[in-house]
Amino acid sequence: MTAAVALRPALRRPRRMLLAGVCAAVARHVGWSASAVRVLAIVLALLGGGGILLYLWLWALVPLADEDAPRVRRAVPGAAILVGLAGVAAVVAIGTARTGLVEPLVSSAVPSAALAAAAVAWSLVLDRADPAYDDRYRRIVGIVAGAVLVVEGVLLLPSPANPVAVILGVLIAMVGVVILIVPRIADLWTELGAERSARDREAQRAEIAAHLHDSVLQTLAIIQHRAGPQSEVARLARAQERELRDWLFAGTDPFAGDAATELRTIAGELELAHPARFDVVTVGDATEVRSAALIGAAREAMLNAARHAGGDVSVYLEVADGGVELYVRDRGAGFDTTDVPESRMGVRESIVGRMERAGGRAVVRSDGGGTEVRLSLPLAVATEGAR
């Protein structure tokens, strides 16, 4: 019988790695422990530098494994390690400059500049896709790497007995200045690209919105006006119009996440369930109005208007220095507030009581021409916790 040949795992670098994933990939492929492969890589690196070239070659050619994790996660900050090595090489270069020896000076000064540049390139390219290293980390790496080279270059300049040290000092200081500028240039370039993409998307959205406004939205508006607010056709047209507008202008609403958006959301829900059409208008800066009591009382008033009156309902929100005013008006038959039974808690507790407990005030006026609910709340209370 022929013995079955064990298939080795494919040579793939994991996406969750220590530094580059090369040693982990080789260890998994040959069946060794990752620690043993790392020790072997260090030994080969010390034997003339061949291990470093082999490591870089494998890093460049071995692909990443197809895993569930979409991003590469590194446990070791490679850019910070390169900055530390650049600092060590800079200290050695400054020390050898005092001896007048050229070859040791060049052998330490040039690697310090190369390591600093590699640290910045690592932070800008490899660490940008890693969520563990944010923009603040990349800025710190660039500043420290540039500062190391600038300080090294300045300390190499006062060496008149060693002209090579002076030349290297000037060149290294210039490289340090460039390294200090490069991260900012990269950030500006990224921001410029993002702004250009945003403008392109906004132009496409505006073109689509204009086309739909001239066709679909106008048709839906005509259906609503001709069918009447209490008909099923008008309710469906109103809901489709609101949904289409929300889709077209998603992310462009200046009131997103505040009271104005909540009121529009409530209006859309009530229009689907009741034969009513809400017109929500906001005046003033409503971006920080986050009062749950105000929204709860307004929802109850809007629900009562949709349920008992129907038709057109106006919702008016005004934010001023003195406070927040919210009006809900309908054009129904109205009712006598004194005839409301004690067991009916909608107006008494859900509107009036809720506003009083929050430090505000609610007034309900009703006559033969409709009902108006006025909700008042101090601005400090309405914006509490928004910041």
Side-chain angles (χ1 to χ4, degrees), residues 288-291 319-324 358 377-386:
E288 294 187 357
V289 177
R290 302 285 196 275
S291 174
V319 182
D321 295 336
V324 179
L377 198 63
L379 186 62
V381 178
T383 60
E384 183 178 1

Side-chain angles (χ1 to χ4, degrees), residues 19-54:
L19 186 63
V22 173
C23 295
V26 173
R28 184 172 179 270
H29 181 68
V30 300
W32 294 359
S33 67
S35 300
V37 176
R38 292 188 179 102
V39 171
L40 179 61
I42 294 174
V43 172
L44 293 177
L46 297 176
L47 297 178
I52 298 177
L53 296 178
L54 178 61

